[in-house]
């Protein structure tokens, strides 16, 4: 099967024509996609490194294996998006809506999820090393085998979250007034 890459120019031509299936290997690094309606778009293996996706609608989009390193997704709608195996290192998802999204086996190192809605998100085997989840809503999230080394969960709400392993190595997770799955409020001991 031949690998077909789509340039940014081709992407915008297809988008203007109402197309949502951009195939695979779209080369959109650094592209300005702010506020675009990409609901249900197919962008598998897309290179969106450093792309501006602020306030974009990616509801139900399929982005398997996409590269979103350092992408700006502040206030983006990623509800029910399929983001399995994505590389999202140092992306900014402040106040983004990821309700019901799938992020299985994704690399989310140092991602800023401050104020993000992660209601019932699937984070199976996701790497959240150094991620910021301040004031994030993780109610009902599936955290099976997720890695939380150095993760900041200050004021995060994990009520009803399942498969939570952060209890195992709580010394490396920042918990300040964090609501745990059982409803208890926990704060890490201060590190002097």
């Amino acid at each position: 099967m031949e690998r077909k890459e789509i340039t940014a120019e081709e992407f915008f031509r297809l988008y203007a024509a109402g197309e949502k299936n951009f195939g695979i290997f779209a080369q959109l690094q650094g592209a300005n996609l702010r506020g675009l309606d990409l609901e249900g778009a197919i962008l598998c293996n897309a290179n969106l490194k450093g792309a501006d996706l602020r306030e974009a609608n990616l509801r139900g989009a399929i982005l398997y294996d996409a590269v979103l390193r350092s992408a700006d997704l502040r206030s983006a709608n990623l509800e029910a998006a399929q983001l399995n195996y994505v590389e999202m290192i140092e992306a900014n998802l402040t106040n983004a809506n990821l309700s019901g999204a799938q992020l299985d086996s994704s690399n989310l190192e140092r991602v800023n999820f401050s104020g993000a809605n992660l209601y019932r998100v699937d984070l199976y085997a996701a790497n959240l090393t150094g991620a910021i989840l301040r004031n994030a809503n993780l109610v009902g999230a599936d955290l099976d085998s997720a890695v939380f080394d150095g993760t900041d969960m200050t004021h995060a709400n994990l009520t009803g979250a399942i498969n939570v392993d952060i209890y195992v190595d709580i010394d490396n997770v920042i918990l300040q007034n964090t609501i745990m799955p059982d409803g208890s409020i926990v704060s890490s001991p201060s590190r002097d």
Side-chain angles (χ1 to χ4, degrees), residues 17 26 32 62 85 103 105 109 116 129-130 148 152-153 157 172 186:
N32 182 357
I62 301 171
Y85 305 101
L103 290 137
S105 303
E109 289 182 61
T129 299
F148 291 97
D152 183 350
M153 301 183 87
N157 184 350
N172 290 327
V186 175

Side-chain angles (χ1 to χ4, degrees), residues 10-155:
E10 178 71 0
F11 169 85
F12 285 112
R13 186 186 67 71
L14 291 168
Y15 178 78
E19 184 63 52
K20 294 289 176 123
N21 184 349
F22 302 104
I24 58 175
F25 305 114
Q27 299 301 308
L28 300 168
Q29 56 274 22
N32 182 357
L33 308 173
R34 184 176 184 170
L36 289 187
D37 182 4
L38 296 166
E39 182 170 351
I42 299 172
L43 286 159
C44 298
N45 292 53
N47 182 351
L48 293 154
K49 182 178 180 181
D52 184 352
L53 288 151
R54 287 176 290 169
E55 300 159 0
N57 180 13
L58 290 153
R59 185 177 189 273
I62 301 171
L63 291 109
Y64 292 129
D65 288 310
V67 175
L68 291 149
R69 180 186 286 262
S70 302
D72 190 346
L73 292 132
R74 287 177 286 168
S75 300
N77 182 8
L78 294 141
E79 182 180 352
Q82 296 177 32
L83 298 155
N84 302 6
Y85 305 101
V86 299
E87 178 193 313
M88 222 184 261
I89 298 169
E90 297 179 342
N92 188 345
L93 284 105
T94 300
N95 297 320
N97 178 14
L98 291 106
S99 178
Q102 296 176 10
L103 290 137
D104 299 13
S105 303
S106 291
N107 190 347
L108 308 172
E109 289 182 61
R110 299 180 304 281
V111 169
N112 187 349
F113 288 106
S114 294
N117 181 11
L118 297 150
Y119 174 76
R120 297 186 59 102
V121 71
D122 186 350
L123 289 163
Y124 172 77
N127 180 1
L128 290 141
T129 299
I132 301 168
L133 289 155
R134 288 176 167 261
N135 300 304
N137 174 14
L138 289 140
V139 172
D142 186 348
L143 307 175
D144 188 16
S145 302
V147 177
F148 291 97
D149 189 26
T151 305
D152 183 350
M153 301 183 87
T154 301
H155 296 283

